[in-house]
Coordinates of all heavy atoms in Angstrom, one line a residue:
M11 N -122.1 167.5 -178.1 CA -121.2 167.6 -176.9 C -119.9 168.2 -177.3 O -119.4 168.1 -178.3 CB -121.0 166.2 -176.3 CG -122.2 165.6 -175.6 SD -121.9 164.3 -174.4 CE -121.1 163.1 -175.2
Q12 N -119.4 169.0 -176.3 CA -118.2 169.7 -176.5 C -117.0 168.8 -176.0 O -117.2 168.1 -175.0 CB -118.2 171.0 -175.7 CG -116.9 171.7 -175.5 CD -116.4 172.3 -176.8 OE1 -117.2 172.9 -177.6 NE2 -115.1 172.2 -177.1
R13 N -115.8 168.9 -176.6 CA -114.7 168.2 -176.1 C -113.8 169.1 -175.3 O -113.6 170.3 -175.6 CB -113.9 167.7 -177.3 CG -112.8 166.7 -177.0 CD -112.2 166.2 -178.3 NE -113.3 165.7 -179.1 CZ -113.4 164.6 -179.7 NH1 -112.5 163.7 -179.5 NH2 -114.4 164.3 -180.5
Y14 N -113.3 168.6 -174.2 CA -112.4 169.3 -173.2 C -111.1 168.6 -172.9 O -111.1 167.4 -172.8 CB -113.2 169.5 -171.9 CG -114.5 170.4 -172.0 CD1 -115.7 169.8 -172.3 CD2 -114.4 171.8 -171.9 CE1 -116.8 170.5 -172.4 CE2 -115.6 172.5 -172.0 CZ -116.8 171.9 -172.3 OH -117.9 172.6 -172.4
L15 N -110.1 169.4 -172.7 CA -108.9 168.9 -172.1 C -108.9 169.3 -170.7 O -109.0 170.5 -170.3 CB -107.7 169.6 -172.8 CG -106.3 169.3 -172.2 CD1 -105.9 167.8 -172.2 CD2 -105.2 170.2 -172.9
I16 N -108.7 168.3 -169.8 CA -108.7 168.6 -168.4 C -107.3 168.2 -167.9 O -106.8 167.1 -168.1 CB -109.7 167.7 -167.6 CG1 -111.1 167.9 -168.1 CG2 -109.6 168.0 -166.1 CD1 -112.1 167.0 -167.6
S17 N -106.6 169.2 -167.4 CA -105.2 169.0 -166.9 C -105.2 169.2 -165.4 O -106.0 170.1 -164.9 CB -104.2 169.9 -167.6 OG -104.5 171.2 -167.4
Y18 N -104.4 168.4 -164.7 CA -104.5 168.5 -163.2 C -103.1 168.2 -162.7 O -102.3 167.5 -163.3 CB -105.5 167.6 -162.6 CG -105.5 166.2 -163.2 CD1 -104.8 165.2 -162.6 CD2 -106.2 165.9 -164.3 CE1 -104.8 163.9 -163.1 CE2 -106.2 164.6 -164.8 CZ -105.5 163.6 -164.2 OH -105.5 162.4 -164.7
Q19 N -102.8 168.7 -161.5 CA -101.6 168.5 -160.8 C -101.8 168.5 -159.3 O -102.5 169.4 -158.8 CB -100.5 169.5 -161.1 CG -99.2 169.2 -160.5 CD -98.0 170.1 -161.0 OE1 -98.2 171.0 -161.8 NE2 -96.9 169.8 -160.5
F20 N -101.3 167.4 -158.6 CA -101.5 167.4 -157.2 C -100.7 168.5 -156.5 O -99.6 168.9 -157.0 CB -101.0 166.1 -156.6 CG -102.0 164.9 -156.8 CD1 -101.9 164.1 -157.9 CD2 -103.0 164.7 -156.0 CE1 -102.8 163.1 -158.2 CE2 -103.9 163.7 -156.2 CZ -103.8 162.9 -157.3
Y21 N -101.2 169.1 -155.5 CA -100.6 170.2 -154.8 C -99.3 169.8 -154.2 O -98.3 170.6 -154.2 CB -101.5 170.7 -153.6 CG -102.8 171.4 -154.2 CD1 -104.0 171.0 -153.8 CD2 -102.7 172.4 -155.1 CE1 -105.2 171.6 -154.2 CE2 -103.8 173.1 -155.6 CZ -105.1 172.6 -155.1 OH -106.2 173.2 -155.6
D22 N -99.2 168.6 -153.6 CA -97.9 168.1 -153.1 C -98.0 166.6 -152.9 O -99.0 165.9 -153.2 CB -97.6 168.8 -151.7 CG -98.7 168.6 -150.7 OD1 -99.3 167.5 -150.6 OD2 -99.0 169.5 -149.9
G23 N -96.9 166.0 -152.4 CA -96.8 164.5 -152.3 C -97.8 163.9 -151.3 O -98.4 162.9 -151.6
E24 N -98.1 164.7 -150.3 CA -99.1 164.2 -149.3 C -100.5 164.1 -149.9 O -101.2 163.2 -149.8 CB -99.1 165.1 -148.1 CG -100.1 164.7 -147.0 CD -100.1 165.6 -145.8 OE1 -99.1 166.2 -145.5 OE2 -101.2 165.8 -145.2
K25 N -100.8 165.2 -150.7 CA -102.1 165.2 -151.4 C -102.2 164.1 -152.4 O -103.3 163.5 -152.6 CB -102.4 166.6 -152.0 CG -102.4 167.8 -151.1 CD -103.6 167.8 -150.3 CE -103.7 169.1 -149.5 NZ -104.1 169.0 -148.2
Q26 N -101.1 163.9 -153.1 CA -101.1 162.8 -154.1 C -101.3 161.4 -153.5 O -102.1 160.6 -154.0 CB -99.7 162.8 -154.9 CG -99.7 161.8 -156.0 CD -98.4 161.9 -156.8 OE1 -97.7 162.9 -156.8 NE2 -98.1 160.9 -157.6
E27 N -100.7 161.2 -152.3 CA -100.9 159.9 -151.6 C -102.4 159.8 -151.2 O -103.0 158.7 -151.4 CB -100.0 159.9 -150.4 CG -100.1 158.5 -149.7 CD -99.1 158.5 -148.5 OE1 -98.0 159.0 -148.7 OE2 -99.4 157.8 -147.5
K28 N -103.0 160.8 -150.7 CA -104.4 160.8 -150.3 C -105.3 160.6 -151.5 O -106.3 159.9 -151.5 CB -104.8 162.0 -149.5 CG -104.1 162.0 -148.1 CD -104.5 163.3 -147.3 CE -103.8 163.3 -146.0 NZ -104.1 164.5 -145.2
G29 N -105.0 161.4 -152.6 CA -105.8 161.3 -153.8 C -105.7 159.9 -154.4 O -106.7 159.4 -154.9
G30 N -104.5 159.2 -154.3 CA -104.3 157.9 -154.8 C -105.2 156.9 -154.0 O -105.8 156.0 -154.6
A31 N -105.3 157.1 -152.7 CA -106.2 156.2 -151.9 C -107.6 156.4 -152.3 O -108.4 155.5 -152.4 CB -105.9 156.5 -150.4
M32 N -108.0 157.7 -152.6 CA -109.3 158.0 -153.0 C -109.7 157.4 -154.3 O -110.8 156.9 -154.6 CB -109.5 159.5 -153.0 CG -110.9 160.0 -153.2 SD -111.0 161.8 -153.1 CE -112.5 162.1 -153.9
L33 N -108.7 157.4 -155.2 CA -108.9 156.8 -156.6 C -109.1 155.3 -156.5 O -110.0 154.7 -157.1 CB -107.7 157.1 -157.5 CG -107.7 156.6 -158.9 CD1 -108.9 157.2 -159.6 CD2 -106.4 156.8 -159.6
V34 N -108.3 154.6 -155.6 CA -108.5 153.2 -155.4 C -109.9 152.9 -154.9 O -110.6 152.0 -155.4 CB -107.4 152.6 -154.4 CG1 -107.8 151.2 -154.0 CG2 -106.0 152.6 -155.1
E35 N -110.3 153.7 -153.9 CA -111.7 153.5 -153.4 C -112.7 153.7 -154.5 O -113.7 153.0 -154.5 CB -111.9 154.5 -152.2 CG -113.2 154.4 -151.5 CD -113.4 155.4 -150.4 OE1 -112.4 155.5 -149.6 OE2 -114.4 156.0 -150.3
W36 N -112.5 154.7 -155.3 CA -113.5 155.1 -156.4 C -113.6 153.9 -157.3 O -114.7 153.5 -157.7 CB -113.0 156.3 -157.1 CG -113.8 156.8 -158.2 CD1 -115.0 157.4 -158.2 CD2 -113.5 156.6 -159.6 NE1 -115.5 157.7 -159.4 CE2 -114.6 157.2 -160.3 CE3 -112.5 156.1 -160.3 CZ2 -114.6 157.3 -161.7 CZ3 -112.5 156.2 -161.7 CH2 -113.5 156.7 -162.4
Y37 N -112.4 153.3 -157.7 CA -112.5 152.1 -158.6 C -113.2 150.9 -157.9 O -113.9 150.2 -158.6 CB -111.1 151.7 -159.0 CG -110.7 152.4 -160.3 CD1 -109.8 153.5 -160.3 CD2 -111.1 151.9 -161.6 CE1 -109.4 154.1 -161.5 CE2 -110.8 152.6 -162.7 CZ -109.9 153.6 -162.7 OH -109.6 154.3 -163.9
E38 N -112.9 150.7 -156.7 CA -113.5 149.6 -156.0 C -115.0 149.7 -155.8 O -115.7 148.7 -155.7 CB -112.9 149.4 -154.6 CG -111.5 148.9 -154.6 CD -110.8 148.9 -153.3 OE1 -111.3 149.4 -152.3 OE2 -109.7 148.3 -153.2
E39 N -115.5 151.0 -155.9 CA -117.0 151.2 -155.8 C -117.6 151.4 -157.2 O -118.7 151.9 -157.3 CB -117.2 152.5 -155.0 CG -116.8 152.3 -153.5 CD -117.0 153.5 -152.7 OE1 -117.3 154.6 -153.3 OE2 -116.7 153.5 -151.5
G40 N -116.9 150.9 -158.2 CA -117.5 151.0 -159.6 C -116.8 151.9 -160.5 O -117.0 151.8 -161.7
G41 N -116.0 152.8 -160.1 CA -115.2 153.7 -160.9 C -115.9 154.3 -162.1 O -116.9 155.0 -161.9
P42 N -115.4 153.9 -163.3 CA -116.0 154.5 -164.5 C -117.5 154.3 -164.7 O -118.2 155.1 -165.3 CB -115.2 153.8 -165.6 CG -113.9 153.4 -165.0 CD -114.3 153.1 -163.6
N43 N -118.0 153.3 -164.1 CA -119.5 153.0 -164.2 C -120.3 154.1 -163.4 O -121.5 154.2 -163.6 CB -119.9 151.7 -163.7 CG -119.3 150.6 -164.5 OD1 -119.1 150.7 -165.7 ND2 -118.9 149.5 -163.9
N44 N -119.6 154.8 -162.5 CA -120.3 155.8 -161.7 C -120.1 157.3 -162.3 O -120.5 158.2 -161.6 CB -119.7 155.8 -160.3 CG -120.1 154.5 -159.6 OD1 -121.1 153.9 -159.9 ND2 -119.2 154.0 -158.8
R45 N -119.5 157.4 -163.5 CA -119.4 158.7 -164.1 C -120.7 159.3 -164.4 O -121.7 158.5 -164.7 CB -118.5 158.6 -165.3 CG -117.1 158.4 -165.0 CD -116.3 158.4 -166.3 NE -114.8 158.3 -166.0 CZ -114.0 157.4 -166.6 NH1 -114.5 156.7 -167.6 NH2 -112.8 157.4 -166.3
P46 N -120.9 160.6 -164.4 CA -122.2 161.2 -164.7 C -122.6 160.9 -166.2 O -121.7 160.8 -167.0 CB -121.9 162.7 -164.5 CG -120.6 162.8 -163.8 CD -119.9 161.6 -164.0
E47 N -123.9 160.8 -166.4 CA -124.3 160.7 -167.8 C -123.9 161.9 -168.6 O -124.0 163.0 -168.1 CB -125.9 160.5 -167.7 CG -126.5 160.2 -169.1 CD -127.9 159.9 -169.0 OE1 -128.4 159.3 -168.0 OE2 -128.6 160.2 -169.9
G48 N -123.5 161.7 -169.8 CA -123.1 162.8 -170.6 C -121.6 163.2 -170.5 O -121.2 164.2 -170.9
Y49 N -120.9 162.3 -169.9 CA -119.4 162.5 -169.6 C -118.7 161.3 -170.2 O -118.7 160.2 -169.7 CB -119.2 162.6 -168.1 CG -117.7 162.8 -167.7 CD1 -117.3 164.1 -167.5 CD2 -116.8 161.8 -167.5 CE1 -116.0 164.4 -167.1 CE2 -115.5 162.1 -167.1 CZ -115.1 163.3 -166.9 OH -113.8 163.6 -166.6
D50 N -118.0 161.5 -171.4 CA -117.4 160.4 -172.1 C -115.9 160.7 -172.1 O -115.4 161.7 -172.6 CB -117.9 160.3 -173.5 CG -119.4 159.9 -173.5 OD1 -119.8 159.0 -172.7 OD2 -120.1 160.5 -174.3
V51 N -115.1 159.7 -171.6 CA -113.6 159.9 -171.6 C -113.0 159.3 -172.8 O -113.3 158.1 -173.2 CB -113.0 159.2 -170.3 CG1 -111.5 159.3 -170.4 CG2 -113.5 159.8 -169.1
H52 N -112.2 160.1 -173.6 CA -111.5 159.6 -174.8 C -110.1 159.1 -174.4 O -109.6 158.2 -175.0 CB -111.4 160.7 -175.8 CG -112.8 161.2 -176.3 ND1 -113.6 160.4 -177.1 CD2 -113.5 162.3 -176.0 CE1 -114.7 161.1 -177.3 NE2 -114.7 162.2 -176.6
S53 N -109.4 159.8 -173.5 CA -108.1 159.4 -173.1 C -107.8 159.9 -171.7 O -108.4 160.9 -171.3 CB -107.0 159.8 -174.1 OG -106.9 161.2 -174.1
W54 N -106.8 159.2 -171.1 CA -106.4 159.6 -169.8 C -105.0 159.3 -169.6 O -104.5 158.2 -169.9 CB -107.3 158.8 -168.8 CG -106.9 159.0 -167.3 CD1 -107.2 160.1 -166.6 CD2 -106.3 158.1 -166.5 NE1 -106.8 159.9 -165.3 CE2 -106.2 158.6 -165.2 CE3 -105.7 156.8 -166.6 CZ2 -105.6 158.0 -164.1 CZ3 -105.1 156.2 -165.6 CH2 -105.1 156.8 -164.3
I55 N -104.2 160.2 -169.2 CA -102.7 160.1 -169.0 C -102.4 160.6 -167.6 O -102.8 161.7 -167.2 CB -101.9 160.9 -170.0 CG1 -102.2 160.4 -171.4 CG2 -100.4 160.7 -169.7 CD1 -101.7 161.4 -172.5
F56 N -101.7 159.8 -166.8 CA -101.3 160.2 -165.5 C -99.8 160.0 -165.4 O -99.3 158.9 -165.7 CB -102.0 159.6 -164.3 CG -101.6 160.0 -163.0 CD1 -101.7 161.3 -162.6 CD2 -100.9 159.1 -162.1 CE1 -101.3 161.8 -161.3 CE2 -100.5 159.6 -160.9 CZ -100.7 160.9 -160.5
L57 N -99.0 161.0 -165.0 CA -97.6 160.9 -164.8 C -97.3 160.9 -163.3 O -97.1 162.0 -162.7 CB -96.9 162.1 -165.6 CG -97.3 162.2 -167.0 CD1 -96.9 163.6 -167.5 CD2 -96.8 161.1 -167.9
P58 N -97.2 159.7 -162.7 CA -97.1 159.7 -161.2 C -95.8 160.3 -160.7 O -95.7 160.8 -159.6 CB -97.1 158.2 -160.9 CG -97.0 157.5 -162.1 CD -97.3 158.4 -163.3
Q59 N -94.7 160.3 -161.5 CA -93.4 160.9 -161.0 C -93.5 162.3 -160.7 O -92.8 162.8 -159.9 CB -92.3 160.6 -162.0 CG -92.4 161.3 -163.3 CD -93.2 160.5 -164.4 OE1 -94.0 159.6 -164.0 NE2 -93.0 160.8 -165.6
N60 N -94.4 163.1 -161.3 CA -94.6 164.5 -161.0 C -96.0 164.9 -160.7 O -96.3 166.1 -160.5 CB -94.0 165.4 -162.2 CG -94.7 165.1 -163.5 OD1 -95.7 164.5 -163.5 ND2 -94.2 165.7 -164.5
G61 N -96.9 163.9 -160.5 CA -98.2 164.2 -160.0 C -99.1 165.0 -161.0 O -100.0 165.6 -160.5
K62 N -98.8 164.8 -162.3 CA -99.6 165.5 -163.3 C -100.4 164.5 -164.1 O -100.0 163.4 -164.2 CB -98.7 166.3 -164.2 CG -98.0 167.5 -163.7 CD -97.2 168.2 -164.7 CE -96.5 169.4 -164.2 NZ -95.8 170.1 -165.2
G63 N -101.5 165.0 -164.6 CA -102.3 164.2 -165.5 C -103.2 165.0 -166.4 O -103.3 166.2 -166.3
Y64 N -103.7 164.3 -167.4 CA -104.5 164.9 -168.5 C -105.6 163.9 -168.9 O -105.4 162.7 -169.0 CB -103.6 165.2 -169.7 CG -102.4 166.0 -169.4 CD1 -101.2 165.4 -169.1 CD2 -102.5 167.4 -169.4 CE1 -100.1 166.2 -168.8 CE2 -101.4 168.2 -169.1 CZ -100.2 167.5 -168.8 OH -99.1 168.3 -168.5
S65 N -106.8 164.5 -169.1 CA -107.9 163.7 -169.7 C -108.5 164.5 -170.8 O -108.6 165.7 -170.7 CB -109.0 163.5 -168.6 OG -108.5 162.7 -167.5
I66 N -109.0 163.8 -171.8 CA -109.7 164.4 -172.9 C -111.1 163.8 -172.8 O -111.3 162.5 -172.8 CB -109.1 164.1 -174.2 CG1 -107.7 164.7 -174.3 CG2 -110.0 164.7 -175.4 CD1 -106.9 164.3 -175.5
V67 N -112.1 164.6 -172.6 CA -113.5 164.1 -172.5 C -114.4 164.9 -173.4 O -114.1 166.0 -173.8 CB -114.0 164.3 -171.0 CG1 -113.0 163.6 -170.0 CG2 -114.1 165.8 -170.6
S68 N -115.5 164.3 -173.7 CA -116.7 164.9 -174.4 C -117.7 165.0 -173.3 O -117.9 164.1 -172.5 CB -117.2 164.2 -175.5 OG -116.3 164.2 -176.6
C69 N -118.3 166.2 -173.2 CA -119.3 166.4 -172.1 C -120.3 167.4 -172.6 O -120.1 168.3 -173.4 CB -118.5 167.0 -170.9 SG -119.4 166.8 -169.4
D70 N -121.5 167.3 -171.9 CA -122.6 168.1 -172.3 C -122.6 169.5 -171.6 O -123.2 170.4 -172.0 CB -124.0 167.4 -172.0 CG -124.1 166.9 -170.6 OD1 -123.3 167.2 -169.7 OD2 -125.1 166.2 -170.3
S71 N -121.8 169.6 -170.5 CA -121.7 170.9 -169.8 C -120.5 170.9 -168.8 O -120.1 169.8 -168.4 CB -123.0 171.2 -169.1 OG -123.1 170.4 -167.9
L72 N -120.1 172.1 -168.4 CA -119.1 172.2 -167.4 C -119.6 171.7 -166.1 O -118.8 171.1 -165.3 CB -118.6 173.6 -167.3 CG -117.7 174.1 -168.4 CD1 -117.4 175.6 -168.3 CD2 -116.4 173.4 -168.5
E73 N -120.9 171.9 -165.8 CA -121.5 171.4 -164.6 C -121.3 169.9 -164.5 O -121.0 169.4 -163.4 CB -123.0 171.7 -164.6 CG -123.7 171.3 -163.3 CD -125.2 171.6 -163.3 OE1 -125.5 172.7 -163.9 OE2 -125.9 170.8 -162.8
T74 N -121.4 169.1 -165.6 CA -121.3 167.7 -165.6 C -119.8 167.3 -165.2 O -119.5 166.4 -164.5 CB -121.7 167.1 -166.9 OG1 -123.0 167.4 -167.1 CG2 -121.5 165.6 -166.9
I75 N -118.9 168.1 -165.8 CA -117.4 167.9 -165.5 C -117.2 168.1 -164.0 O -116.5 167.2 -163.4 CB -116.5 168.8 -166.3 CG1 -116.6 168.4 -167.8 CG2 -115.1 168.8 -165.8 CD1 -115.8 169.4 -168.7
W76 N -117.7 169.1 -163.5 CA -117.5 169.4 -162.0 C -118.1 168.4 -161.1 O -117.7 168.1 -160.0 CB -117.8 170.8 -161.6 CG -116.8 171.7 -162.1 CD1 -116.9 172.7 -163.1 CD2 -115.4 171.7 -161.7 NE1 -115.7 173.3 -163.3 CE2 -114.7 172.8 -162.4 CE3 -114.6 171.0 -160.8 CZ2 -113.4 173.0 -162.3 CZ3 -113.3 171.3 -160.7 CH2 -112.7 172.3 -161.4
R77 N -119.2 167.7 -161.6 CA -119.8 166.6 -160.8 C -118.8 165.5 -160.6 O -118.7 164.9 -159.6 CB -121.1 166.1 -161.4 CG -122.3 166.8 -160.9 CD -123.6 166.1 -161.4 NE -123.5 166.1 -162.8 CZ -124.5 166.2 -163.7 NH1 -125.7 166.3 -163.2 NH2 -124.4 166.2 -164.9
Q78 N -118.1 165.3 -161.7 CA -117.0 164.2 -161.7 C -115.8 164.6 -160.9 O -115.3 163.8 -160.1 CB -116.6 163.8 -163.1 CG -115.5 162.8 -163.2 CD -115.9 161.4 -162.8 OE1 -117.1 161.1 -162.9 NE2 -115.0 160.7 -162.3
W79 N -115.4 165.8 -161.0 CA -114.1 166.3 -160.5 C -114.1 167.0 -159.1 O -113.1 167.2 -158.5 CB -113.4 167.2 -161.5 CG -112.8 166.4 -162.6 CD1 -113.5 166.1 -163.8 CD2 -111.5 165.8 -162.7 NE1 -112.7 165.3 -164.6 CE2 -111.5 165.1 -164.0 CE3 -110.4 165.8 -161.9 CZ2 -110.3 164.5 -164.4 CZ3 -109.3 165.1 -162.3 CH2 -109.2 164.4 -163.5
R80 N -115.3 167.4 -158.7 CA -115.4 168.2 -157.5 C -114.7 167.6 -156.3 O -114.0 168.2 -155.5 CB -116.9 168.5 -157.2 CG -117.1 169.4 -156.0 CD -118.5 169.8 -155.8 NE -118.9 170.7 -156.9 CZ -119.9 170.5 -157.8 NH1 -120.6 169.4 -157.7 NH2 -120.1 171.3 -158.8
P81 N -114.9 166.3 -156.0 CA -114.2 165.7 -154.8 C -112.7 165.8 -154.9 O -112.0 165.7 -153.8 CB -114.7 164.2 -154.9 CG -115.9 164.2 -155.8 CD -115.7 165.3 -156.7
W82 N -112.1 165.9 -156.1 CA -110.6 165.9 -156.2 C -110.0 167.3 -156.0 O -108.8 167.4 -155.9 CB -110.3 165.4 -157.6 CG -110.8 164.0 -157.8 CD1 -112.0 163.7 -158.5 CD2 -110.3 162.8 -157.4 NE1 -112.2 162.4 -158.5 CE2 -111.1 161.8 -157.8 CE3 -109.1 162.4 -156.7 CZ2 -110.9 160.4 -157.6 CZ3 -108.9 161.1 -156.5 CH2 -109.8 160.1 -156.9
R83 N -110.9 168.3 -155.9 CA -110.4 169.7 -155.9 C -109.5 170.0 -154.6 O -108.7 170.8 -154.6 CB -111.5 170.7 -155.9 CG -112.2 170.7 -157.3 CD -113.3 171.7 -157.4 NE -112.7 173.1 -157.3 CZ -113.4 174.1 -157.1 NH1 -114.7 174.1 -157.0 NH2 -112.9 175.3 -157.0
I84 N -109.8 169.2 -153.5 CA -109.0 169.4 -152.3 C -107.6 168.9 -152.4 O -106.7 169.2 -151.6 CB -109.7 168.8 -151.1 CG1 -109.8 167.3 -151.2 CG2 -111.0 169.5 -150.8 CD1 -110.4 166.6 -150.0
F85 N -107.3 168.1 -153.5 CA -106.0 167.5 -153.6 C -105.2 168.1 -154.8 O -104.0 167.9 -154.8 CB -106.1 166.0 -153.9 CG -106.8 165.2 -152.9 CD1 -108.0 164.5 -153.1 CD2 -106.3 165.1 -151.6 CE1 -108.7 163.8 -152.1 CE2 -107.0 164.4 -150.6 CZ -108.2 163.8 -150.9
M86 N -105.8 168.7 -155.7 CA -105.1 169.1 -156.9 C -105.7 170.4 -157.6 O -106.8 170.8 -157.3 CB -105.2 168.0 -158.0 CG -106.6 167.6 -158.4 SD -106.7 166.3 -159.6 CE -106.1 164.9 -158.7
D87 N -104.8 171.0 -158.4 CA -105.2 172.1 -159.2 C -105.7 171.5 -160.5 O -105.1 170.7 -161.1 CB -103.9 173.0 -159.5 CG -104.2 174.2 -160.3 OD1 -105.3 174.8 -160.1 OD2 -103.4 174.6 -161.1
I88 N -106.9 171.9 -160.9 CA -107.6 171.4 -162.1 C -107.9 172.5 -163.0 O -108.5 173.5 -162.7 CB -108.9 170.7 -161.6 CG1 -108.7 169.6 -160.6 CG2 -109.7 170.2 -162.9 CD1 -109.9 169.1 -160.0
N89 N -107.5 172.3 -164.3 CA -107.8 173.3 -165.4 C -108.6 172.6 -166.5 O -108.2 171.5 -166.9 CB -106.5 173.8 -166.0 CG -105.7 174.6 -164.9 OD1 -106.2 175.7 -164.5 ND2 -104.6 174.2 -164.5
I90 N -109.6 173.3 -167.0 CA -110.5 172.7 -168.0 C -110.4 173.7 -169.2 O -110.7 174.9 -169.0 CB -111.9 172.6 -167.5 CG1 -111.9 171.7 -166.3 CG2 -112.8 172.0 -168.6 CD1 -113.2 171.7 -165.5
Q91 N -110.1 173.1 -170.4 CA -110.1 174.0 -171.6 C -110.8 173.3 -172.7 O -110.6 172.1 -172.9 CB -108.6 174.1 -172.0 CG -107.7 174.8 -171.0 CD -106.3 174.7 -171.5 OE1 -106.0 174.6 -172.6 NE2 -105.4 174.8 -170.5
P92 N -111.6 174.0 -173.5 CA -112.2 173.4 -174.6 C -111.1 173.1 -175.7 O -110.1 173.8 -175.7 CB -113.2 174.5 -175.1 CG -112.8 175.7 -174.5 CD -112.0 175.4 -173.3
C93 N -111.3 172.0 -176.4 CA -110.4 171.7 -177.5 C -111.2 171.4 -178.7 O -112.3 170.8 -178.7 CB -109.4 170.6 -177.1 SG -110.1 169.1 -176.5
A94 N -110.7 171.7 -179.9 CA -111.4 171.6 -181.1 C -111.6 170.1 -181.6 O -112.7 169.7 -181.9 CB -110.7 172.4 -182.3
D95 N -110.5 169.4 -181.5 CA -110.6 168.0 -181.9 C -109.5 167.2 -181.3 O -108.5 167.8 -180.8 CB -110.7 167.8 -183.4 CG -109.4 168.3 -184.1 OD1 -108.3 168.2 -183.6 OD2 -109.6 168.9 -185.2
L96 N -109.6 165.9 -181.4 CA -108.6 165.0 -180.8 C -107.2 165.2 -181.4 O -106.2 165.2 -180.6 CB -109.1 163.6 -180.9 CG -108.5 162.6 -179.9 CD1 -108.5 163.0 -178.5 CD2 -109.1 161.2 -180.1
E97 N -107.1 165.3 -182.7 CA -105.8 165.5 -183.3 C -105.1 166.8 -182.8 O -103.9 166.8 -182.5 CB -105.9 165.6 -184.8 CG -106.2 164.2 -185.5 CD -106.3 164.3 -187.0 OE1 -105.7 165.2 -187.6 OE2 -107.0 163.5 -187.5
E98 N -105.9 167.9 -182.7 CA -105.3 169.1 -182.2 C -104.8 168.9 -180.7 O -103.7 169.4 -180.4 CB -106.4 170.2 -182.2 CG -105.9 171.5 -181.5 CD -107.0 172.5 -181.4 OE1 -107.7 172.8 -182.4 OE2 -107.2 173.0 -180.3
T99 N -105.5 168.2 -179.9 CA -105.1 168.0 -178.6 C -103.9 167.0 -178.5 O -103.0 167.3 -177.6 CB -106.3 167.4 -177.8 OG1 -107.4 168.3 -178.0 CG2 -106.0 167.3 -176.3
V100 N -103.8 166.0 -179.3 CA -102.7 165.1 -179.3 C -101.4 165.9 -179.6 O -100.3 165.6 -179.0 CB -102.9 163.9 -180.3 CG1 -101.6 163.2 -180.5 CG2 -104.0 163.0 -179.8
K101 N -101.5 166.9 -180.5 CA -100.3 167.7 -180.8 C -99.7 168.4 -179.5 O -98.6 168.6 -179.4 CB -100.6 168.7 -181.8 CG -100.8 168.2 -183.2 CD -101.2 169.2 -184.2 CE -101.5 168.6 -185.5 NZ -102.0 169.6 -186.5
F102 N -100.6 168.7 -178.6 CA -100.2 169.3 -177.3 C -99.2 168.4 -176.6 O -98.3 168.9 -175.9 CB -101.5 169.5 -176.5 CG -101.2 170.0 -175.1 CD1 -100.9 171.3 -174.8 CD2 -101.3 169.1 -174.0 CE1 -100.7 171.7 -173.5 CE2 -101.1 169.5 -172.7 CZ -100.7 170.8 -172.5
F103 N -99.4 167.1 -176.7 CA -98.5 166.2 -175.9 C -97.2 165.9 -176.6 O -96.3 165.3 -176.1 CB -99.3 164.9 -175.6 CG -100.5 165.1 -174.7 CD1 -101.7 165.1 -175.2 CD2 -100.3 165.4 -173.4 CE1 -102.8 165.3 -174.4 CE2 -101.4 165.6 -172.6 CZ -102.6 165.6 -173.1
K104 N -97.1 166.2 -177.9 CA -95.9 165.8 -178.7 C -94.8 166.8 -178.5 O -94.9 167.9 -178.2 CB -96.3 165.7 -180.2 CG -97.1 164.4 -180.4 CD -97.3 164.3 -181.9 CE -98.0 163.0 -182.2 NZ -98.2 162.7 -183.6

């Protein structure tokens, strides 16, 4: 499986509010238990003050990533980048 850095930012405050409600609903319906097979989250950081977030995942394909993230595209800009290893990616945040 390939490791990816997923970065995202809400388009605006209204989209962030709607996305937050959608996230609560997602968790209430099982949240992480409903992730696609072959999609493993290593870390997740969300900075609510500016509507940005980052996830590091291992995944079998970009198609699997988009199965997880597709519903969120109407609320945010999403960027997916391959990353070599977790240490390299952690340096990105320092």
